[in-house]
Amino acid sequence: MRKLYIAILFLVVISGTFGCKGPKNGDTDAAIERRVDSVLKLMTLEEKIGQLTLFTSDYDVTGPTMRENYKEDIKAGKVGAIFNAYGVDYVRELQRMAVEETRLGIPLIFGYDVIHGHRTIFPISLGESASWDTAMVRKAARIAAIEATAEGLQWTFAPMVDIARDPRWGRISEGAGEDVFLGQCMAVARVKGFQGNRLDDPRTMVACAKHYAAYGAAQAGRDYHTVDISERTLREVYLPPFKAAVDAGVGTFMTSFNEIAGVPSTGNRYLLTDILRKEWGFQGFVVTDYTSINEMVAHGFAKDEKEAGELAINAGVDMDMQGAVYYNYLKKSIEEGKVSMATVDEAVRRVLRMKFKLGLFDNPYLYCNKQREQNEIMTTEHLAFARDMARKSIVLLKNEAQILPLSKEIKSLAVIGPLADNRRELIGSWSAAGDWSKAVTILEGIYGAVSPATKILYARGCNINDDTVSFISDAVNKARQAEVVILVVGEAHWMSGEAACRSELGLPGVQQQLADAVIATGKPVVTVLLSGRPLTIPQLAQKTRALLAAWFPGTMAGHAVADVLFGEYNPSAKLPVTFPRSVGQIPIYYNMKNTGRPMDPNNKYTSKYLDVPNDPLFPFGYGLSYTTFEYSDLQLSAEKINASDTLYVKVKVKNTGKYSGEETVQLYVRDLVGSVTRPVKELKGFYKVFLQPGEEKQVTFKLTANDLAFYDIHMKFTSEPGDFIVFVGGDSQHCLQKGFVLE
Ligand code: GLC
């Protein structure tokens, strides 16, 4: 029997009717549809359900449950995709089981969380986003895809495009921060980087926009917690990066764990079908997050897993990640008429279509190339790029009296802190197949940068996260002997990412005590902060001479940090997320509403706290350079525009310092009056400009009525006539501004 089907499959391949030929140049979607339907016709119900089932292998653990006999499931044709498995030999063996030991030989898709690099690890996504350099971010994803596909993978569960305005939420580390416009730009860059021009190119992989939707709006910044936001906030803040991913051609979506206003995303037909498919025209397939179908029972949205499965597939979920709900109950749900065969067939078509597009039917071992695995991973070029990406992600937040850059000929340095000679933390969370043992420590980077004559004194000073204070004294002694102290403090990698939320955001353990003791020596201190999120460090920020937010910089961390410390690279990054002064201010983000009583320090009865200033420690878009940039001559092409006009916004930017450097010129807009209240600012454009000392350039932005559109009082997406202000500057607070009217 099996031989018969394989023969049919083989013949049909040859004939090319549904022939598993991957889409060749010019292959029409119609050709793929014919082939998909031909395979579908051969499939039993069990085999169809198998295509909708995704299991983890035991190579990595990314969730609360594992699957013992996934290999038996593969051989039984009960699995369509495997995740957390990589390496040519291992992937080839699992793929062989599917292709040679099942009745129809339908190939598997192999997925993994390739978030910010595969083996060569780049800065965490929040750090990459701090570069505001979409070309660099796209290239990082491109390299990640080259390395991941060299190890047998063809599907990444990235980009994470969740807007995050609450740094208590550990997953703020995985995205592009608090802003919609920047989030849209980074979503497009990452999708295009991973997917390249053709999915059947063995060096590209299908991306996955996650976690759909509004996962970052979890109450109290607690992971998996309830989300209760207005339709307007959903559509104006949390959905746009997902829509941008669809417009960029993303091939898959992942549902989020959370509910939105009482409906879990994994069972939300409005999200998964009405918006994603009917409004946006998404053609790919939707996978759940890890057992998120099963979790609808705990949500209290389904009485049991069988009902949860019915809710999920009828809402628009195609593939069940690790939950085995479709695997266990979908056949019965169909027999009971709770789920139609048409619904199942449509879900199977979406999965098969992707497998054709990836070239897997044409050659199931397309991604199993030993030569590539040996030659295309952690290459010199990839590592050089990782160093450059990391340098461009480091934000200079303070540089008192221009203490930085330090001279490489400095006589003595004390390098102090629990993260100074630490290797593991540098590649952050979600570092996939990254090998942290290959990361360059900050201390190694500093040794590699300074002259041999420089005396370097190292002291750990304390641990990252405990109350041991016994070796702070050693650090103080070393500090006293040095010209300058480089203090390297921050979080462990596991303190951000999934299921890693913090209720306090200061330096963990006794690191603040260490910092205070070292600063108390009176020696100038330069602080390098490693973290997966903004930290509330007002005292440290006030006392340190210089402060670098380096996030988790990845494999080449040490060299990248040293390049900035010693002036090999003039820092150009800007914050993608607000740094609060205290947890009590959260949520605090730049584009808040004005309220009816905007903060006025001279008026008691206005919106403010008694015990902390209303402004953030560092605002969105903020970042210094070793040089200075002066903005002047802001000009608008008109004082009035109508709905069909384009407004040209011009500004001059001059390098008024002594270093060449790159500035990210930011354009914000405020709609002063609307049929609903509008934010005090919204980022609508940015432009990176490199200037030599003394050089001046004019930067031009274009604005149209569509850039000013929002969901009005009737939830219609439109712009409204009225007064607007344009702001242009180097961060969200310090801007030139001019008004104009939309007629
Ligand atoms: C995790 C994460 C998700 C990841 C998936 C597979 O629970 O929420 O981001 O892609 O499981 O590892």
Side-chain angles (χ1 to χ4, degrees), residues 62-77:
T62 59
T65 66
M66 293 304 286
R67 181 95 188 158
E68 292 318 315
N69 52 355
Y70 65 92
K71 292 181 183 173
E72 301 322 309
D73 289 323
I74 293 173
K75 292 174 189 172

Side-chain angles (χ1 to χ4, degrees), residues 699-717:
V699 173
T700 301
F701 294 96
K702 292 193 290 188
L703 277 175
T704 64
N706 191 54
D707 296 319
L708 310 176
F710 62 100
Y711 286 89
D712 72 3
I713 188 73
H714 306 297
M715 285 305 288
K716 178 170 173 272
F717 190 70

Side-chain angles (χ1 to χ4, degrees), residues 62 83-84 113 157 171 174 210-211 215 254 257 289-290 321 430 498:
T62 59
F83 69 115
N84 294 335
D113 291 286
F157 304 134
R171 304 201 78 166
E174 301 173 40
K210 71 182 188 182
H211 308 77
Y215 184 24
M254 183 186 292
F257 290 117
D289 204 338
Y290 213 110
M321 178 190 284
W430 289 112
E498 184 174 359

Side-chain angles (χ1 to χ4, degrees), residues 244-278:
V246 170
D247 295 342
V250 73
T252 66
F253 257 57
M254 183 186 292
T255 66
S256 60
F257 290 117
N258 57 284
E259 67 162 74
I260 300 176
V263 182
S265 300
T266 304
N268 191 324
R269 183 172 176 81
Y270 176 62
L271 269 187
L272 298 172
T273 296
D274 297 345
I275 295 179
L276 181 58
R277 296 205 184 272
K278 292 180 179 170

